[in-house]
Amino acid sequence: MSAAATMTWHEDLATLVGDTTGVRLPVAGGDAPAAAVGAGWYGEEEEGRAEEGWAQQAKGFAESTAEMLRELGRGLWDVAAQSLAGAEDSELARRLRKRAKATGKRLSFMNEYLPEERDPVRCWLIVAAVAFVTLLVLGVGSGDETPVELPKKLIISPPSANRIQLPDGRHLAYEEQGVSADRARFSLIAPHSFLSSRLAGIPGIRASLLEEFGVRLVTYDLPGFGESDPHPGRNLNSSALDMLHLADALDIPDKFWVVGYSGGGMHAWSALHYIPDRVAGAAMFAPMANPYDSKMTKEERHKTWDRWSTKRKLMHILARRFPSLLPLFYRQSFLSGKQGQPESWLSLSLGKKDKTLLEGPEFNAFWERNVAESVRQGDARPFVQEAVLQVSDWGFSLSDIQMQKKEDRGFFELIKSLFNQVEREWVGFLGPIHIWQGMDDRVVSPSVAEFARRVVPGATVHKLLDEGHFSYFCFCDECHRQIFSTLFGIPQGPIDPVPQPGEVASELAEETPAPDNLAEEEQGNSSLA
């Protein structure tokens, strides 16, 4: 048998590698050469040699592999060259050569940047390949290298709300700001919007401003939000009654103002419809309207969501058609136990001013605290109820809030009214309704305010140029002052409590004691008599 036939695979591999790398592999069953590197790969180390580390072994293996791949590449190149021998005379080769020649002629001006001894065709192929690899590496590494901040965990504070018990046994959590009940000149009740709580109120309102105008601001948690007990069958009628019971429990005399912001506007509208006799007026800020209101035209209906994001439109459809699927989305966002941004959790499109406000630390601190309180109970059902209420039958139309009084008139009175202009008489809520609407609002379209003004004749709409959904209502001291001045006029401060008759008598007794000489005179006169 020949020597080549008796070579082991170790010897065969060493033969392929050759002496160019200085790496030799030990032969099985024989002594390794003195210059062998990596003898420790197989069996025992040679006697008298130091043990080779894994780093050196890996380096030797990599060099051997690289040499083998290079030899393999050369072999493949030779095979390809032999296979293509004579192909230059084919029709396809002639066409390609003609096109390549024309392209090379156009790019020949770039050859002056190459060394004279280099072939332009090969050089530019190499340059193109290197450029491609460079761009690929830069593309992979040019991403945002800023470390991704992991979502923060929602921090839910211990229960701290004041609560009242409603007639049906439920408890309603509330919070008060401003002056006390006996000093309040005006009382405001503010139901909150979706994914909010009693902690919202009027975000950023200063205690000094409430004191200046004598305002008592009361906010409360909707059923199932914050620390309020859930209400399985709630609707907008029950929402208005909750507001009425809260006012009675807190000794709010006569009438109160209702504040409706965004989704909270739905509950403010219900108060104007169901308990108009207890409401003094309404302050609305980008209030939501039912997109399926019977008085809304098709064009107005489409305008209510023409600025919405695709995801928000999807959530709208789910709330309308498939509400049972909403908890799946809620548990992936605000019910996940992590913090998130309002534009992502609520699928909002924001204007310039809104983006600037939401990026500020003041708003972020408020948002984190308010959302944590809103989801305190961890139950998706109250949020599903709220979403469904927004797109379902409210039980009334906005046009029902103020209606022209109907009178039974005879034939001659009807004829007379055609020639004489008769003053219209209205029924329903006849108090002031102010609506502030940002014209750059992409959450509640300005068309909603226009619809409200069309069907509620007594509503006054204040158009705010360049303002968004949050920018005028949240953390704007000058805006809050303008709002209160519009609602209440010149600030008069809180009311001084009227002292009781017993308190007046005691104060007079303390302030006007009888003089000693007057008492002596009276005693002398009595003795003379």
Side-chain angles (χ1 to χ4, degrees), residues 16-161:
L16 289 175
V17 172
D19 296 334
T20 57
T21 61
V23 178
R24 297 180 185 274
L25 298 178
V27 294
D31 295 334
V37 178
W41 290 1
Y42 317 101
E44 300 293 335
E45 293 288 335
E46 287 190 31
E47 186 176 349
R49 293 184 57 85
E51 184 178 358
E52 187 177 14
W54 282 104
Q56 294 178 346
Q57 295 176 12
K59 180 180 179 182
F61 181 78
E63 291 176 349
S64 302
T65 305
E67 185 65 24
M68 291 174 58
L69 292 176
R70 188 177 70 173
E71 294 296 331
L72 179 62
R74 287 177 179 176
L76 293 176
W77 178 266
D78 292 340
V79 172
Q82 294 175 8
S83 301
L84 295 176
E88 62 272 7
D89 297 331
S90 64
E91 181 66 21
L92 178 62
R94 284 196 296 268
R95 290 184 179 182
L96 293 177
R97 189 164 53 249
K98 185 177 180 180
R99 292 178 179 270
K101 186 177 180 180
T103 304
K105 187 176 181 180
R106 292 179 183 179
L107 300 177
S108 60
F109 70 95
M110 300 177 64
N111 292 339
E112 62 185 37
Y113 299 101
L114 297 175
E116 295 181 359
E117 68 275 8
R118 298 296 183 183
D119 183 6
V121 176
R122 293 186 178 181
C123 284
W124 284 120
L125 288 176
I126 295 174
V127 170
V130 172
F132 174 76
V133 174
T134 303
L135 292 175
L136 185 63
V137 172
L138 290 177
V140 172
S142 63
D144 187 6
E145 297 182 359
T146 304
V148 178
E149 184 179 355
L150 296 176
K152 294 188 296 184
K153 186 177 180 180
L154 280 174
I155 301 176
I156 299 179
S157 304
S160 60

Side-chain angles (χ1 to χ4, degrees), residues 9 12 25 108 113 136 175 201 204 210 256 258-259 266 280 303 341 351 377 428 460 466-468 502:
W9 72 272
D12 195 14
L25 298 178
S108 60
Y113 299 101
L136 185 63
E175 185 167 300
L210 297 173
F256 58 87
V258 62
V259 178
M266 173 175 64
K303 283 183 177 181
Q341 297 303 316
Q377 301 183 34
T460 302
D466 301 326
E467 297 289 351

Side-chain angles (χ1 to χ4, degrees), residues 76-322:
L76 293 176
W77 178 266
D78 292 340
V79 172
Q82 294 175 8
S83 301
L84 295 176
E88 62 272 7
D89 297 331
S90 64
E91 181 66 21
L92 178 62
R94 284 196 296 268
R95 290 184 179 182
L96 293 177
R97 189 164 53 249
K98 185 177 180 180
R99 292 178 179 270
K101 186 177 180 180
T103 304
K105 187 176 181 180
R106 292 179 183 179
L107 300 177
S108 60
F109 70 95
M110 300 177 64
N111 292 339
E112 62 185 37
Y113 299 101
L114 297 175
E116 295 181 359
E117 68 275 8
R118 298 296 183 183
D119 183 6
V121 176
R122 293 186 178 181
C123 284
W124 284 120
L125 288 176
I126 295 174
V127 170
V130 172
F132 174 76
V133 174
T134 303
L135 292 175
L136 185 63
V137 172
L138 290 177
V140 172
S142 63
D144 187 6
E145 297 182 359
T146 304
V148 178
E149 184 179 355
L150 296 176
K152 294 188 296 184
K153 186 177 180 180
L154 280 174
I155 301 176
I156 299 179
S157 304
S160 60
N162 298 315
R163 303 209 304 171
I164 63 167
Q165 188 170 13
L166 300 173
D168 60 1
R170 291 181 295 116
H171 289 86
L172 197 70
Y174 70 94
E175 185 167 300
E176 294 186 72
Q177 292 176 267
V179 301
S180 59
D182 57 342
R183 301 175 64 234
R185 195 175 295 275
F186 306 100
S187 296
L188 273 64
I189 295 183
H192 61 77
S193 58
F194 189 87
L195 194 54
S196 189
S197 71
R198 70 183 186 281
L199 302 182
I202 303 177
I205 190 73
R206 295 191 179 276
S208 58
L209 186 66
L210 297 173
E211 181 79 19
E212 184 179 352
F213 281 87
V215 172
R216 181 191 187 192
L217 176 61
V218 179
T219 57
Y220 66 98
D221 290 327
L222 294 175
F225 291 73
E227 297 185 41
S228 289
D229 294 338
H231 187 332
R234 72 184 178 104
N235 52 32
L236 291 184
N237 189 3
S238 67
S239 179
L241 294 179
D242 285 352
M243 211 179 303
L244 177 63
H245 295 316
L246 177 64
D248 292 339
L250 298 183
D251 297 325
I252 295 179
D254 300 328
K255 298 184 178 183
F256 58 87
W257 286 73
V258 62
V259 178
Y261 167 65
S262 188
M266 173 175 64
H267 304 282
W269 289 124
S270 70
L272 299 184
H273 176 70
Y274 289 111
I275 53 171
D277 295 338
R278 289 298 308 274
V279 180
M284 304 283 203
F285 303 90
M288 180 174 289
N290 187 352
Y292 300 98
D293 192 301
S294 59
K295 300 298 182 180
M296 187 176 285
T297 64
K298 185 176 181 180
E299 182 181 0
E300 289 173 333
R301 183 176 298 114
H302 285 293
K303 283 183 177 181
T304 58
W305 57 67
D306 60 353
R307 294 186 178 185
W308 288 2
S309 64
T310 304
K311 184 178 179 181
R312 191 173 180 216
K313 291 179 181 178
L314 172 62
M315 301 303 290
H316 173 90
I317 295 173
L318 292 179
R320 177 80 173 165
R321 301 295 183 186
F322 310 101

